[in-house]
Amino acid sequence: STEIFVLFSRVVKFRRTGESARSEDDTASGEHEVQIEGVRVGLEAVELDDGAAVPKEFANPTDDTFMVEDAVEAIGFGKFQWKLSVLTGLAWMADAMEMMILSILAPQLHCEWRLPSWQVALLTSVVFVGMMSSSTLWGNISDQYGRKTGLKISVLWTLYYGILSAFAPVYSWILVLRGLVGFGIGGVPQSVTLYAEFLPMKARAKCILLIEVFWAIGTVFEVVLAVFVMPSLGWRWLLILSAVPLLLFAVLCFWLPESARYDVLSGNQEKAIATLKRIATENGAPMPLGKLIISRQEDRGKMRDLFTPHFRWTTLLLWFIWFSNAFSYYGLVLLTTELFQAGDVCSISSRKKAVEAKCSLACEYLSEEDYMDLLWTTLSEFPGVLVTLWIIDRLGRKKTMALCFVIFSFCSLLLFICVGRNVLTLLLFIARAFISGGFQAAYVYTPEVYPTATRALGLGTCSGMARVGALITPFIAQVMLESSVYLTLAVYSGCCLLAALASCFLPIETKGRGLQESSHREWGQEMVGRGMHGAGVTRSNSGSQE
């Protein structure tokens, strides 16, 4: 017979398999300790018959099993993630260019086709209608059929209708085609879901924020492109050339692997292992030893999962935060061109008083000076990302979002003062830096707070709410502005103050936590304290909002 010697002590410390990331607070609190009273310290022999299996309680599960989270942490950040960063960045750059083109296209078509202001606003809003209507759908497709599948279809859709819209003969055609472009863009944020699921915990926040540098590059590239293309080739060529990053992504996206987390959750163990081995080979890192644990299969992409008691308040508050982010960000982008054309806030007010019956068909083309100032405010995206990168792991996700909203609101209120063009440009620069920083912090927080089964849907619905804000904002920034510039600024400032409060009231802080694998209790304990209280062992609910 075989003898196994087991050491018993009064305090047994253990780690659940897959629990690769525990917060420092957890470690300090000692909540991982289980007190076993009345057990003597020493070696105790346990006899087993020949060939008998070792009892489960005597085996060390961390030696022969691992979860995707363990593998991602063990393999670390390397060559594979760098390639994935560039590819995800291309998708993000394309999204930014399609958004930025709205503030350039609107004044141009306003003059060229003699459109009234409400039709100009509708041209912007229809893109966001498409995005709003499709965001949840793309999230559902990504949760049901895979992140890669949803992302590929959305990118090819956007590329096709983006190029087709350049050939629109009349207003009604471009309205429909830009709406279809918006429908495709609604799926681009799923690139963040795929990206986040391949990142180790320590690198996740920094990497997702640095991906936003591609958004900033996209917005700057669009303005520079407009400076050279608009005077000579016109807006049609601008639309065609703006689709270049999408074309590059469409060609390269076949290199993308499916998310190993998704494969495990859908029961495809072999494919998940193959993906992890591929990443380990590219990074030159060893795979964890043992067998990959498959989470229990569960329904994926169900809307009701976002409203369980664990996530109800998180979902509702995040919806408002994303709404406010997009409402304010795109509002500021549209306001920038309007304010630069007028000179300053007071010029708009005096102009409205002097000309009571202003013709809605009156228009002004963007001048070279307008383009240069637009470029300067667009460059604010870079310091916005850097500031957020510096504070997000120091203050945490919630406080970072709140701080960004407060500073944007303060800068909006300062615009009430009659300032010159230079000070106006500076205030718009600071406001845009921080509202873009708040947007990036939301992109870090959202994939972290939801489990794998609903991560894409959670991000998709939040993105959909953002598009609702973006849909409404043209009528504030372009139509209401004609009635009262001060009321317009007050709306944006007030909305961001409420969003700052919403950020503070979010129940879960995800700083220093691993990604939650499953919504079931025995999985995804990384998201909350693993409290063990009393004589019995009581397992805390995953993702519970304490």
Side-chain angles (χ1 to χ4, degrees):
S1 62
T2 305
E3 288 191 344
I4 293 181
F5 288 90
V6 185
L7 176 64
F8 288 91
S9 67
R10 290 188 178 275
V11 177
V12 178
K13 293 189 178 182
F14 70 97
R15 181 170 78 91
R16 179 183 65 75
T17 305
E19 192 180 39
S20 56
R22 59 167 91 165
S23 68
E24 292 178 3
D25 294 339
D26 288 348
T27 306
S29 67
E31 288 183 346
H32 301 277
E33 297 181 359
V34 178
Q35 298 294 336
I36 303 176
E37 299 297 338
V39 180
R40 71 178 177 84
V41 179
L43 291 174
E44 197 173 284
V46 179
E47 292 192 4
L48 294 177
D49 294 332
D50 290 335
V54 177
K56 186 179 178 182
E57 60 269 26
F58 296 152
N60 181 1
T62 58
D63 286 344
D64 57 9
T65 60
F66 65 92
M67 294 179 69
V68 176
E69 179 80 7
D70 294 312
V72 171
E73 293 295 329
I75 294 168
F77 190 92
K79 190 177 178 182
F80 172 84
Q81 280 82 5
W82 280 113
K83 289 180 183 176
L84 189 62
S85 299
V86 173
L87 201 50
T88 309
L90 277 174
W92 220 230
M93 184 177 171
D95 192 0
M97 289 176 71
E98 292 296 340
M99 292 297 95
M100 193 64 203
I101 204 171
L102 297 175
S103 61
I104 298 167
L105 191 63
Q108 184 72 21
L109 293 182
H110 181 40
C111 296
E112 193 171 311
W113 287 354
R114 313 303 294 172
L115 302 175
S117 58
W118 70 268
Q119 283 191 327
V120 176
L122 188 60
L123 185 61
T124 303
S125 291
V126 74
V127 177
F128 295 115
V129 169
M131 296 166 83
M132 177 190 69
S133 60
S134 69
S135 292
T136 304
L137 174 65
W138 292 120
N140 204 292
I141 289 172
S142 297
D143 277 333
Q144 294 278 1
Y145 305 105
R147 282 54 163 139
K148 181 180 177 179
T149 303
L151 189 57
K152 276 200 305 187
I153 295 171
S154 68
V155 165
L156 291 171
W157 177 290
T158 308
L159 175 65
Y160 178 73
Y161 287 108
I163 294 174
L164 204 61
S165 61
F167 300 97
V170 291
Y171 175 76
S172 57
W173 268 99
I174 198 166
L175 197 66
V176 171
L177 290 170
R178 293 312 290 176
L180 290 169
V181 167
F183 190 89
I185 292 175
V188 174
Q190 295 307 326
S191 60
V192 177
T193 304
L194 180 65
Y195 186 54
E197 292 183 343
F198 281 119
L199 294 174
M201 186 195 69
K202 287 185 179 178
R204 192 179 303 123
K206 291 182 177 67
C207 288
I208 293 176
L209 282 174
L210 288 174
I211 277 298
E212 306 303 333
V213 170
F214 282 93
W215 176 282
I217 292 170
T219 54
V220 170
F221 183 66
E222 187 63 41
V223 175
V224 172
L225 198 62
V227 170
F228 291 102
V229 173
M230 290 293 279
S232 54
L233 299 175
W235 61 269
R236 296 182 188 276
W237 272 102
L238 184 66
L239 286 177
I240 293 171
L241 293 173
S242 297
V244 169
L246 276 174
L247 182 62
L248 285 174
F249 183 88
V251 171
L252 298 173
C253 73
F254 293 97
W255 169 88
L256 274 175
E258 183 53 84
S259 165
R261 295 177 193 267
Y262 169 81
D263 284 333
V264 164
L265 199 68
S266 57
N268 199 337
Q269 185 186 23
E270 291 78 11
K271 194 174 176 184
I273 291 172
T275 300
L276 292 171
K277 284 181 178 176
R278 170 186 165 183
I279 300 169
T281 302
E282 286 200 41
N283 287 4
M287 274 281 288
L289 298 175
K291 181 182 178 183
L292 179 64
I293 294 177
I294 301 181
S295 315
R296 71 168 67 180
Q297 296 181 47
E298 52 188 83
D299 290 336
R300 301 182 302 277
K302 300 295 182 184
M303 185 68 78
R304 65 173 181 270
D305 293 334
L306 300 180
F307 293 95
T308 60
H310 306 311
F311 293 110
R312 185 181 300 125
W313 278 110
T314 297
T315 297
L316 293 174
L317 289 172
L318 273 177
W319 281 5
F320 180 68
I321 288 166
W322 279 72
F323 170 90
S324 303
N325 255 321
F327 179 74
S328 305
Y329 176 85
Y330 293 114
L332 188 68
V333 170
L334 295 173
L335 270 176
T336 300
T337 52
E338 297 286 338
L339 292 173
F340 282 157
Q341 283 182 323
D344 56 45
V345 171
C346 298
S347 298
I348 293 179
S349 300
S350 60
R351 187 177 67 189
K352 301 300 181 282
K353 290 175 184 174
V355 187
E356 293 182 4
K358 179 178 178 291
C359 177
S360 67
L361 295 180
C363 74
E364 293 179 39
Y365 286 99
L366 290 175
S367 66
E368 187 176 339
E369 187 184 13
D370 292 333
Y371 278 122
M372 291 311 297
D373 286 336
L374 190 59
L375 180 61
W376 277 113
T377 55
T378 304
L379 286 170
S380 65
E381 303 265 350
F382 291 101
V385 169
L386 293 176
V387 169
T388 310
L389 182 65
W390 188 73
I391 64 177
I392 197 163
D393 280 326
R394 288 172 170 81
L395 297 182
R397 281 57 162 152
K398 291 160 56 177
K399 290 179 182 176
T400 299
M401 288 189 282
L403 179 66
C404 289
F405 281 127
V406 168
I407 293 178
F408 174 85
S409 184
F410 180 66
C411 289
S412 299
L413 291 175
L414 287 179
L415 289 175
F416 276 70
I417 306 167
C418 291
V419 294
R421 190 176 179 109
N422 290 338
V423 179
L424 173 68
T425 304
L426 178 64
L427 287 174
L428 290 172
F429 183 95
I430 296 170
R432 183 154 173 183
F434 279 93
I435 196 62
S436 66
F439 222 149
Q440 320 320 349
Y443 265 109
V444 173
Y445 180 85
T446 307
E448 289 182 337
V449 82
Y450 287 113
T452 302
T454 53
R455 186 169 296 128
L457 181 62
L459 185 64
T461 54
C462 285
S463 180
M465 288 306 296
R467 309 315 178 184
V468 174
L471 164 67
I472 297 169
T473 207
F475 296 97
I476 306 296
Q478 292 174 322
V479 179
M480 182 187 283
L481 190 71
E482 293 186 359
S483 303
S484 172
V485 63
Y486 297 112
L487 180 60
T488 301
L489 293 172
V491 167
Y492 287 116
S493 182
C495 183
C496 280
L497 283 177
L498 290 174
L501 284 174
S503 302
C504 293
F505 283 119
L506 281 167
I508 303 171
E509 173 57 72
T510 61
K511 175 189 169 185
R513 306 294 177 99
L515 289 186
Q516 195 177 358
E517 293 291 351
S518 170
S519 58
H520 290 295
R521 291 188 178 185
E522 60 266 46
W523 304 100
Q525 299 289 335
E526 297 88 350
M527 292 301 295
V528 293
R530 305 160 192 84
M532 306 295 177
H533 304 291
V537 178
T538 306
R539 188 176 278 154
S540 63
N541 293 339
S542 67
S544 61
Q545 300 179 2
E546 299 173 342

